[in-house]
Amino acid sequence: MGKKFTSVMGLDIGRYSLKSVVIQKKGGNRFVVTHFASHVMDETVEPTPSEIGKGIKSMLKQMGGNAKACAVAVSHPEALLRLIEQPSTPTEVLRDALKLNGMMLLNQDTKNFILDCDLIPTSASSGKIEDGQKTYLVAGLPRVQVNNIGLAIHEGGAPPVATLQLAPVAMFNAFEFAQPEAFNTSSFFLLDIGHQASTMMLGSMKELVLIRNIDFGGKALIENLQTLSGEHRQTVLNALEDDDELMIENARMAMTTITREIMNSIGFFEGRREDTIRQIWVSGGVAKCKALLRVLGEELRMPCVAWSAAERCEINVPAARKTRFAEDSLDLSVACGAATQALSE
Amino acid sequence: MAIRINLYHEIQRARIVEQYDPLKISLMCLGFIGVCLVGWYFMSLNETNKIRDEHSTQQVELGRLKPLAIAAKDNEQKFNNVLTLASSLSKRIDERFYWAPVLDKISAVIPPAVQITKMTGESNFGEIPRRVNVNIEGVAAGNQPRKVAEDLRLKLNETLGRNFKELSAVFKSLDDSIERVVIDGKEASTVLFSISISFTIETIPTAPAPAPVAPAPSAPDITAQR
């Protein structure tokens, strides 16, 4: 590693869709988005490396542009993401220790996992500075999955992989990149509503405090709304766009699960920290719908704001695609986070 | 500070290890050396073929020139013989002894009362210094013929001694003769004499410039009377 790139392709390999963005780094710490694309995977087909490779190839064809390297972020149900507290240990040593003593350190057999870890910066309010303990984020993915992703990227004709990380980590980095003031000075709640699952991350002044995955995503939400209203998917989406009162009430009911989980997480965080969450930063497909954000805010009694990692970037996509980029940018946070991290290394 | 997680590190490390595998690098080096050796072999082969071609060409040329060389050698021998002969002839010619000045000097000192009946001369060729022997036989006449003969010997000694070294002119024989001759109307007795003259010359004389022809002295009227 240690190689500096001037242009990187961020690739978000999700369970429902593939998203990519090409970001160039220019002088004066400027980041420019030059190309982007997304490709919805066929849910009926098993996501083999070959299928993913085809999807990547199709997406790259649609996107155009080229980059020196590829930063990949992956969402996977078997992905391992833990916060562990350890005495200060070099990350290389801890990585080997996790590999050899996964059961002891993570209470999980990690023999078939590829693991990596990094030190999480600790804020003064955490109280860990005094007791000498450090917090480390441990991320892992089954070895087979890593190999499959490498194979898929190779088959898809993407540039060589510079980094491979988990989507929540990429989103956390993207938030730091896009909202540095909120990241550095206050507590924050990040909610990424994916297709099948959602990720919640709570942090306070640079420190990652809590990560949670819940099996509730956009797919479950729409299915609930369809069940409650008895309407088709498109009708439901149109009704939400039109602020249909009945559909709003249905949405309130359909989002009960996620609002409850969010409240629990906030309660956990505020119980451990003398700090309050004042705002929820929402990303993902659901964030595109203002009605749902409003409902979520009303239920949680705090503002829910959609954010995109591309906010801090200059947009230099073709004029014909600018409108599309404005719509899709909320989905590209993970890809942008992966790319900007690789560019910043 | 962004969280730096890279789950691809094992594959990347494996690739680096594979890329810098000592066995692979060694094999690549060996392959490179092998290619170099093969290249060198073919270059040498090419050079050898060129030399062989040149050798065969030279052999053909040698086959063509060898009879000519043998013939030339034969010719050289012949020409050398001719040259040796010519040079020896030239040398012989160059080193020949010029009798004319000697005869000129001898004839100049012969008085009218002496008649030379026989003269022989020899010179040893090829030796330095060269020894010349001249033998003069003749008849001297007069009232005192022995004195005439002695005067002749002395004159020869004096005249030739000026020009030649180690000169000796001695009588080999001096005998009274019964013959009487008339000189200027007077009867005179005679002696038979034989003078041997020998002298040496140290340098090979060059051909003298032709001397102006002097008028021959008038020969005395010597009539033998018995």
Side-chain angles (χ1 to χ4, degrees), chain A residues 116 118 143 164 173 176, chain B residues 1 3-4 6-7 9-10:
Chain A
D116 197 9
D118 197 15
R143 194 178 306 277
L164 171 64
N173 288 335
E176 180 189 0
Chain B
M1 191 180 71
I3 299 171
R4 299 181 192 285
N6 183 14
L7 299 174
H9 61 87
E10 280 191 10

Side-chain angles (χ1 to χ4, degrees), chain A residues 128-189:
Chain A
K128 288 172 190 164
I129 293 172
E130 287 80 13
D131 59 17
Q133 291 285 318
K134 301 276 184 186
T135 305
Y136 290 89
L137 177 71
V138 179
L141 204 58
R143 194 178 306 277
V144 178
Q145 194 60 31
V146 173
N147 290 335
N148 286 348
I149 287 165
L151 199 61
I153 286 169
H154 178 71
E155 284 189 11
V161 177
T163 60
L164 171 64
Q165 57 185 302
L166 299 181
V169 178
M171 196 179 65
F172 186 80
N173 288 335
F175 184 72
E176 180 189 0
F177 169 75
Q179 304 289 340
E181 194 180 338
F183 182 83
N184 292 323
T185 58
S186 62
S187 300
F188 51 89
F189 189 113

Side-chain angles (χ1 to χ4, degrees), chain A residues 166-315:
Chain A
L166 299 181
V169 178
M171 196 179 65
F172 186 80
N173 288 335
F175 184 72
E176 180 189 0
F177 169 75
Q179 304 289 340
E181 194 180 338
F183 182 83
N184 292 323
T185 58
S186 62
S187 300
F188 51 89
F189 189 113
L190 306 181
L191 174 63
D192 181 33
I193 303 174
H195 184 63
Q196 291 180 347
S198 298
T199 306
M200 289 179 274
M201 283 191 287
L202 285 96
S204 174
M205 288 178 280
K206 302 179 187 176
E207 183 185 354
L208 177 62
V209 178
L210 176 69
I211 305 174
R212 284 191 68 199
N213 267 321
I214 55 169
D215 291 332
F216 181 87
K219 184 183 177 187
L221 176 63
I222 297 298
E223 282 174 356
N224 283 353
L225 287 174
Q226 282 178 283
T227 308
L228 290 170
S229 64
E231 298 289 345
H232 294 293
R233 175 188 167 90
Q234 196 56 46
T235 314
V236 169
L237 293 175
N238 289 340
L240 284 172
E241 282 296 314
D242 297 339
D243 273 347
D244 183 75
E245 282 186 19
L246 188 58
M247 195 57 72
I248 294 293
E249 286 307 312
N250 288 340
R252 209 179 295 277
M253 288 177 67
M255 293 175 80
T256 308
T257 311
I258 195 167
T259 49
R260 188 177 63 243
E261 294 296 338
I262 291 169
M263 292 295 284
N264 289 344
S265 300
I266 291 172
F268 174 81
F269 175 80
E270 290 179 345
R272 294 185 64 176
R273 301 281 179 121
E274 292 176 357
D275 204 349
T276 52
I277 300 291
R278 294 188 180 85
Q279 182 173 295
I280 292 177
W281 300 88
V282 185
S283 61
V286 173
K288 293 178 195 171
C289 181
K290 288 177 183 170
L292 289 177
L293 283 181
R294 196 177 67 240
V295 169
L296 194 60
E298 286 170 1
E299 288 297 305
L300 296 170
R301 295 188 183 86
M302 64 179 73
C304 294
V305 180
W307 69 280
S308 164
E311 284 170 18
R312 217 193 111 189
C313 297
E314 295 173 24
I315 311 302

Side-chain angles (χ1 to χ4, degrees), chain B:
Chain B
M1 191 180 71
I3 299 171
R4 299 181 192 285
I5 296 285
N6 183 14
L7 299 174
Y8 213 61
H9 61 87
E10 280 191 10
I11 292 173
Q12 285 169 336
R13 192 183 302 161
R15 278 183 188 165
I16 288 169
V17 168
E18 189 185 350
Q19 194 177 352
Y20 295 103
D21 180 20
L23 180 65
K24 185 181 162 189
I25 291 169
S26 304
L27 286 174
M28 283 170 70
C29 289
L30 276 175
F32 177 73
I33 291 166
V35 168
C36 289
L37 285 174
V38 168
W40 179 76
Y41 169 75
F42 279 109
M43 276 177 64
S44 301
L45 190 67
N46 189 29
E47 287 290 319
T48 309
N49 285 340
K50 274 184 187 172
I51 291 165
R52 277 185 185 160
D53 288 348
E54 196 174 344
H55 175 68
S56 59
T57 309
Q58 297 287 349
Q59 285 283 0
V60 171
E61 188 74 10
L62 180 66
R64 190 176 66 80
L65 292 177
K66 202 167 185 177
L68 296 177
I70 292 166
K73 202 165 188 178
D74 292 344
N75 286 340
E76 184 191 13
Q77 188 64 40
K78 285 177 191 171
F79 292 141
N80 280 340
N81 291 339
V82 170
L83 280 172
T84 308
L85 182 63
S87 76
S88 65
L89 287 174
S90 297
K91 190 179 176 188
R92 196 174 184 86
I93 290 167
D94 290 343
E95 292 179 1
R96 71 184 182 274
F97 183 74
Y98 292 94
W99 286 101
V102 178
L103 295 177
D104 184 40
K105 284 178 177 61
I106 290 170
S107 65
V109 297
I110 302 294
V114 174
Q115 187 170 15
I116 302 299
T117 57
K118 185 180 178 184
M119 192 174 83
T120 58
E122 59 178 10
S123 152
N124 56 342
F125 179 78
E127 290 179 10
I128 303 256
R130 181 178 289 181
R131 193 73 187 167
V132 180
N133 296 313
V134 181
N135 201 33
I136 301 170
E137 292 177 17
V139 180
N143 292 332
Q144 295 177 330
R146 284 182 176 265
K147 189 175 180 296
V148 173
E150 177 62 15
D151 288 345
L152 173 63
R153 187 187 69 80
L154 290 173
K155 278 190 177 177
L156 284 170
N157 216 350
E158 183 190 346
T159 307
L160 294 176
R162 283 201 293 266
N163 298 100
F164 302 108
K165 290 181 178 176
E166 297 176 17
L167 184 115
S168 68
V170 294
F171 283 112
K172 281 174 72 179
S173 64
L174 181 63
D175 300 322
D176 292 331
S177 174
I178 58 169
E179 287 183 19
R180 297 188 68 85
V181 293
V182 176
I183 302 172
D184 298 332
K186 294 178 183 174
E187 193 172 280
S189 57
T190 60
V191 290
L192 298 174
F193 66 86
S194 173
I195 298 171
S196 174
I197 305 166
S198 66
F199 55 86
T200 58
I201 48 172
E202 289 187 344
T203 54
I204 299 166
T206 52
V213 180
S218 56
D221 182 15
I222 298 174
T223 309
Q225 290 183 354
R226 286 185 182 271

